[in-house]
Amino acid sequence: MSDTNKNNQSKTNESRRSFIKAGALAAAGFMIVPRHVLGGSGFIAPSDKLQVAGIGAGGKGSSDINAFFESGKADIAFLCDVDDRRAAGSVKKFPKAKYYKDYREMLDKEHKNIDAVSVSTPDHNHAIQALAAMQLGKHVYVQKPLTHDVWEARVLTDAAKKYKVVTQMGNQGASNDGPRQAREWYEAGIIGDVHTVYCWTDRPVWPSGIQWPTQKAEIPKELNWDLWLGTAPQKDYVDKLVPFNWRGWWDYGTGALGDMGCHLLELPFSVLGLSYVQDVQASVGTVYVDEFKRGYFPESCPPSSHATLTFPKGSRTNGPVTLHWMDGGIQPERPEELEPNEIYGDGGNGILLIGTKGKILADTYGKNARLLPTSKTATVNVPKKYERVTGQEGGHYAQWVESCLAGYGKKPVSSPFEIAGPLTEALLMANLAIRGADLRINNQYPGRNIKLVWDNNAMKVTNFDEVNQFVKRNYRSGWDVKYTI
């Protein structure tokens, strides 16, 4: 190799991370060495790999970073977790990854060595952590739901465009064949115009509709409780909150909707082109603690709920669309086209699109999309319009890695924030109605039996101001999410 070529190769290596950050893969004067020369067909040179930092290294965080690594195109360069117990497996598997407890310290010290950040933490810290990474020009993968609050979802949607980074939400069913097949059927006119959608789940599978524990517990020595709290109000540590049951408490989680909504609403969103809601209403399961004595546990998500969202006419519908969300084991009436012994959805969760000429039924993650009656599925053939993702839901991770390596705007992803943001907003709007229905004021429940009217531009409910406190919550001092839309 000539001296000129050696210098050019050195410049390529030194500039790798800045290219990823800027979303560019090539520039004049840089020499790209073919991969087969470096190490055989399919070989990925170390300098070509995405350097990933994982915020949240246990539980779902562990499976996320493992999936990035298994793509063969990413190195897990840094790990961050507030709980050493949860992070232990990832620390052992990736011994070369530098470990931090505070994501702020990690980003401050290591941002020059990071290309992309994965956020797999409790819902209440998603926005502040993802935004910090995006403001440093880092591509981001954020677990579902994208955010805890409606305002935060709008922030991350806007920030993705502003900072020109590759984004993906962790609703991996968006990469399945089911939503693409359903859209092809719909656009071919097989079921006519869809006007009604049902999505349901058997979640919650954690305690809900309960009182906040009155007895504080000793903080485990491996857990930094202050960092775990992050944006949430200061409270004493209690048992059985970490690592999972936080989902049932409004300060940290977003209930059954936050856990499963992004997996179930994705298919109707992608098929029908839904975006922002115009109104929402809800009813909730009530817990009684004695005869005719209603329990009041405003800190806890209810054990069951039914929310109804109205979406205005869009480019793919002839009129408004009504979407029903049901959780806690509540299901809509079985379609008459289903045989008596056919499973409705997948037994615990399901998606049903009702059109003027037919219906589509699907399972969790948009799997097993089928026409009703199901015998019709095998007889209807429409042209394949939408490219499938290799590996389907398993390929959701590699898809993001490859898009990050290609650079902003170069390769599509299944759930970019431009789609994931409005999807998250919709389910969080349903949570507004659920919280409003459970809100007691002067021993009354004025949020029940009414419809909340939403001003999308002002981002506020216009006819029940008490619920607007949940559109953007107050953050703990020092943990503000600072952004102007």
Side-chain angles (χ1 to χ4, degrees), residues 123 145 147-148 247 249-250 252-259 301 428 431:
D123 303 349
T147 64
H148 183 277
R247 288 192 175 279
W249 302 101
W250 289 121
Y252 321 111
T254 46
L257 264 161
D259 187 41
C301 306
L428 295 177
N431 267 348

Side-chain angles (χ1 to χ4, degrees), residues 244-301:
F244 185 72
N245 287 346
W246 54 265
R247 288 192 175 279
W249 302 101
W250 289 121
D251 278 343
Y252 321 111
T254 46
L257 264 161
D259 187 41
M260 293 301 294
C262 292
H263 291 315
L264 295 168
L265 269 66
E266 195 284 326
L267 185 146
F269 258 71
S270 61
V271 170
L272 305 178
L274 304 178
S275 56
Y276 298 106
V277 305
Q278 65 184 36
D279 57 61
V280 59
Q281 55 189 300
S283 57
V284 299
T286 300
V287 177
Y288 281 83
V289 295
D290 205 343
E291 296 177 6
F292 295 98
K293 184 178 180 182
R294 184 200 306 264
Y296 185 55
F297 311 117
E299 295 172 304
S300 177
C301 306

Side-chain angles (χ1 to χ4, degrees), residues 16-38:
R16 177 185 56 80
R17 291 189 177 89
S18 62
F19 281 155
I20 292 174
K21 178 179 177 181
L25 287 176
F30 288 167
M31 185 186 75
I32 306 299
V33 178
R35 287 174 180 167
H36 71 273
V37 173
L38 292 171

Side-chain angles (χ1 to χ4, degrees), residues 337-381:
E337 297 90 342
L338 270 183
E339 295 295 329
N341 290 334
E342 286 188 289
I343 299 298
Y344 194 14
D346 57 23
N349 311 283
I351 306 161
L352 179 66
L353 275 59
I354 302 176
T356 53
K357 295 167 55 179
K359 299 170 185 174
I360 294 174
L361 180 66
D363 301 345
T364 312
Y365 303 151
K367 288 182 178 179
N368 193 25
R370 59 251 194 223
L371 296 165
L372 297 183
T374 54
S375 58
K376 186 178 180 180
T377 306
T379 64
V380 173
N381 294 305

Side-chain angles (χ1 to χ4, degrees), residues 121-127 144-145 147-149 152 212-213 225-238 240-255 258-259 298-301 428 431 435 473 476:
T121 57
D123 303 349
H124 67 291
N125 285 326
H126 283 187
K144 54 76 194 171
T147 64
H148 183 277
D149 297 349
E152 292 175 338
W212 179 258
W225 176 238
D226 182 70
L227 292 179
W228 189 95
L229 283 173
T231 63
Q234 182 65 49
K235 284 186 177 180
D236 291 330
Y237 174 81
V238 296
K240 297 184 179 180
L241 179 70
V242 178
F244 185 72
N245 287 346
W246 54 265
R247 288 192 175 279
W249 302 101
W250 289 121
D251 278 343
Y252 321 111
T254 46
D259 187 41
E299 295 172 304
S300 177
C301 306
L428 295 177
N431 267 348
R435 297 190 76 173
R473 69 191 189 281
R476 189 160 62 109

